[in-house]
Every structure is written in C-alpha cells, then in structure tokens.
Amino acid sequence: AAQTAGEAKYRERADRARAAVAAAPGDEAAAIELRDAVRLYRDNYPTTEPEEKAPAPDVVEARRLISEDNLEAAEILLRKHLASVRNDPPAMHMMAEIAAYCGLREDAQRILDQSARLHGSNPDALVILAATLRRIAVHEDIPELIFKAAYVFDRALALDPLHQRALALKAEMMMQTRGLDEADATYRKLIALNPHVAVHWRSYGHLLKTLGDLGNAVAAI
C-alpha cells in the first residue's frame, strides 16, 4: 500500500507538470519541471514492457525476404519451418501474406480463417493475425480487411484487456484510418497501463496534434 501511495505521488507530480505545459507550451520553466518530474517517476518506479517470444530464425529471415519481394524464397523457408513447427502462427500468417501478394486471395483467406479457428483463444496469435490482415489490406488495397483487423484486435483484447501490443497496434491503425476518437481512447488506456514507454507518448502526441489539441500534444511529446 505504501508503494502504491508513493507511486501515486510521483505520478501526480508528472500529471500536474504535463498540465502546466499543455496550458503554456512555450513556458521553459514548465517544460523543465515536466522533464524532472517524469525522470523522478521513471527512476523510482521503472516499468518494462512484457517480453515477446522471439520468432524462429527461419521466420525472421522469411520476413526479410518478403520485404525484398523475394516471395518464392520466403515460401520455401516457411514451408520448411511449418513442417517441424506445425501451425506456428507467425509462419502461417506470412504464408497468407505471400498468397495474397501473389493474387491468391482465396488461399490467403483459407489460411487466415484456419489460424483464427486454431488460435482463437490465444491473444498473442490473434494480434499477429490482425497485424497481418492490416498489412494485406494496405499492400493489396482491400479496405474491408481493415475492419476485419479491428475486429480481431478486439477479440484479442476481450481475452486480455491489458495486452499492450494489441492496444498499441489498434490505436495506430485507428489513427491512420481516421478513427480518431477510438484511437484517443485506446492511447489513453495504453498510457495509463504503462506511462514510461516513450513511443506511446510520441504517437499520442501526434494524434492530439491531429485533433487540434496542440498544448497537450506538446506536453505528450
């Protein structure tokens, strides 16, 4: 309880300092106080993002090959990997990407649907699935897949409401697709969960600038 009270003290100071910068973005003294308050909070109550399981080396290499448009070599690597690690979510989803990029949308959809059935209770796998749907939507200009990606992100968050990667990717996607109110709500939740992750504050600052809230945008950044 004492630790919780102590953390609240540091957080309240940071919140007050951020509000002062938002009210007067050009006030150098307010900016210095915000810097000092945030550093004290971070140093006394450090937090870390949850570690994610690293993909297998063949999967990492396949992602590089896809980025270079070497789809055939990527597919060979992924088939080799899936022969030994059956139904591995990242590998399955990359196979779907390759199929989509080759114009085989039905094959891509079949793989993605199979993954949704197999991994429907695994929030980590669902986040990878949603991110894959988003990539295919952008690469192949299929807007309806953005809505499907949002639905899958929400499925992951229903299983784990505090899943930081799901929140971060969903917020980013909603901002890019002009779902600004939902992006705002998602960034607020994300920052409340872990206020020490700089990239979340920078992204939220850009959103606030888009919303016209320039004072709070400066304070966030």
Side-chain angles (χ1 to χ4, degrees):
Q3 186 179 29
T4 301
E7 182 175 0
K9 178 184 72 174
Y10 284 103
R11 185 156 189 167
E12 285 169 7
R13 178 178 171 181
D15 287 344
R16 286 197 302 272
R18 193 160 48 251
V21 171
D27 186 338
E28 185 175 355
I32 291 171
E33 165 60 14
L34 176 55
R35 179 199 64 192
D36 292 344
V38 168
R39 284 179 177 172
L40 275 173
Y41 183 15
R42 178 200 62 198
D43 292 346
N44 283 276
Y45 293 93
T47 58
T48 56
E49 293 185 274
E51 292 185 7
E52 294 181 19
K53 181 181 177 182
D58 281 348
V59 174
V60 174
E61 177 63 7
R63 170 56 63 201
R64 185 187 70 79
L65 290 166
I66 291 172
S67 72
E68 295 178 352
D69 205 30
N70 192 347
L71 303 183
E72 183 177 355
E75 182 177 357
I76 290 170
L77 268 182
L78 291 170
R79 287 190 183 280
K80 172 188 167 186
H81 175 72
L82 287 165
S84 59
V85 187
R86 187 173 174 81
N87 297 325
D88 182 37
M92 289 182 70
H93 299 148
M94 280 191 223
M95 288 291 286
E97 273 189 72
I98 291 170
Y101 298 167
C102 290
L104 304 172
R105 289 190 183 181
E106 289 185 5
D107 288 348
Q109 192 60 57
R110 175 180 53 77
I111 296 169
L112 295 172
D113 288 345
Q114 182 184 10
S115 178
R117 288 192 299 271
L118 291 172
H119 308 297
S121 61
N122 181 339
D124 292 336
L126 289 173
V127 170
I128 299 170
L129 173 58
T132 301
L133 287 164
R134 177 187 171 192
R135 273 195 299 274
I136 294 172
V138 173
H139 190 279
E140 296 297 296
D141 192 21
I142 311 174
E144 59 267 24
L145 287 187
I146 291 291
F147 296 103
K148 195 163 188 177
Y151 169 74
V152 177
F153 277 130
D154 286 340
R155 280 182 62 187
L157 289 167
L159 293 168
D160 181 0
L162 307 183
H163 198 294
Q164 288 192 52
R165 187 156 183 252
L167 288 167
L169 290 175
K170 181 185 176 185
E172 179 184 295
M173 185 178 74
M174 297 313 298
M175 185 166 67
Q176 291 174 345
T177 57
R178 308 298 294 179
L180 301 184
D181 289 343
E182 191 166 358
D184 182 53
T186 307
Y187 274 124
R188 285 176 184 273
K189 186 173 184 179
L190 186 61
I191 287 166
L193 286 172
N194 196 337
H196 299 338
V197 180
V199 68
H200 298 338
W201 281 107
R202 287 199 300 272
S203 298
Y204 188 41
H206 289 303
L207 172 64
L208 290 169
K209 179 183 176 183
T210 302
L211 291 169
D213 189 352
L214 299 184
N216 277 309
V218 170
I221 293 170

